Amino acid sequence: MTRTIRIAGFGGQGVMLTGQLLAYAANKQGLYSLWVPAYGPETRGGTANCSITISDVPIYSPVFKKSDDLIIFNEPSLAKFQERVNDGGNIFYNSSLIKGEVQQPNVHAFAIPMNDIALELEKPQVANMVMLGAYLKVVGIFDEQTIVDSLEYMLGAKKKNMIPINKEAMSRGQALV
């Protein structure tokens, strides 16, 4: 089993944290993983994307042209990456910011209003966790406790108080698919 994932959006939307979380969780479950970040020239609000490869065998290259899964947080990223998904792959997109439809044939598209749900929770910074919850439910690679443990590790002791709201955000995302 090898799965390739690309996550893209603006800086500050949690693109990198989401990718790191998936890679770390894969390692916790005994899988191999690679996480490769890519940033635009801006510090915040610029483009950001990352590539993640997860496999049950060693991974010899972080490079892939098309991904199995595409997780998109904004419209420019959808325009840039939607054609770079394998046939039968998945596109999860932020329908709070992306009003158009996915134009890529032969993929499964999931419209997730991640910003709207995060605003309902009164914590805009957990929007990426809403999307992550939807993604995790569809792909079924990780058990929930591994993700929560990984999130605790990634957030650290200073932000441990954010775990309950992040879990609620993931739960809301799961309920959407």
Side-chain angles (χ1 to χ4, degrees), residues 72-138:
I72 295 295
F73 292 174
N74 65 3
E75 187 103 34
S77 297
L78 180 64
K80 182 175 183 176
F81 292 114
Q82 75 174 325
E83 294 179 4
R84 296 171 61 185
V85 178
N86 292 322
D87 284 349
N90 300 304
I91 298 178
F92 297 81
Y93 66 97
N94 181 1
S95 60
S96 297
L97 299 180
I98 301 169
K99 298 306 176 194
E101 297 285 321
V102 170
Q103 300 300 313
Q104 188 64 17
N106 305 318
V107 299
H108 307 283
F110 300 90
I112 309 298
M114 61 187 250
N115 290 71
D116 296 339
I117 301 294
L119 288 174
E120 286 175 14
L121 294 170
E122 299 179 0
K123 272 294 192 212
Q125 60 267 47
V126 299
N128 62 327
M129 293 296 119
V130 174
M131 183 67 83
L132 181 62
Y135 175 75
L136 293 172
K137 180 158 185 195
V138 170

Side-chain angles (χ1 to χ4, degrees), residues 13-86:
Q13 286 185 299
V15 169
M16 299 305 170
L17 175 64
T18 306
Q20 289 172 321
L21 185 58
L22 289 172
Y24 186 82
N27 286 153
K28 277 190 76 70
Q29 282 193 192
L31 298 169
Y32 297 92
S33 68
L34 288 174
W35 170 75
V36 180
Y39 299 93
E42 303 86 354
T43 304
R44 271 187 103 48
T47 59
N49 71 83
C50 62
S51 302
I52 305 101
T53 304
I54 297 170
S55 183
D56 57 358
V57 296
I59 303 163
Y60 296 105
S61 173
V63 178
F64 55 84
K65 186 173 182 169
K66 289 188 170 189
S67 62
D68 297 310
D69 302 310
L70 180 60
I71 302 172
I72 295 295
F73 292 174
N74 65 3
E75 187 103 34
S77 297
L78 180 64
K80 182 175 183 176
F81 292 114
Q82 75 174 325
E83 294 179 4
R84 296 171 61 185
V85 178
N86 292 322

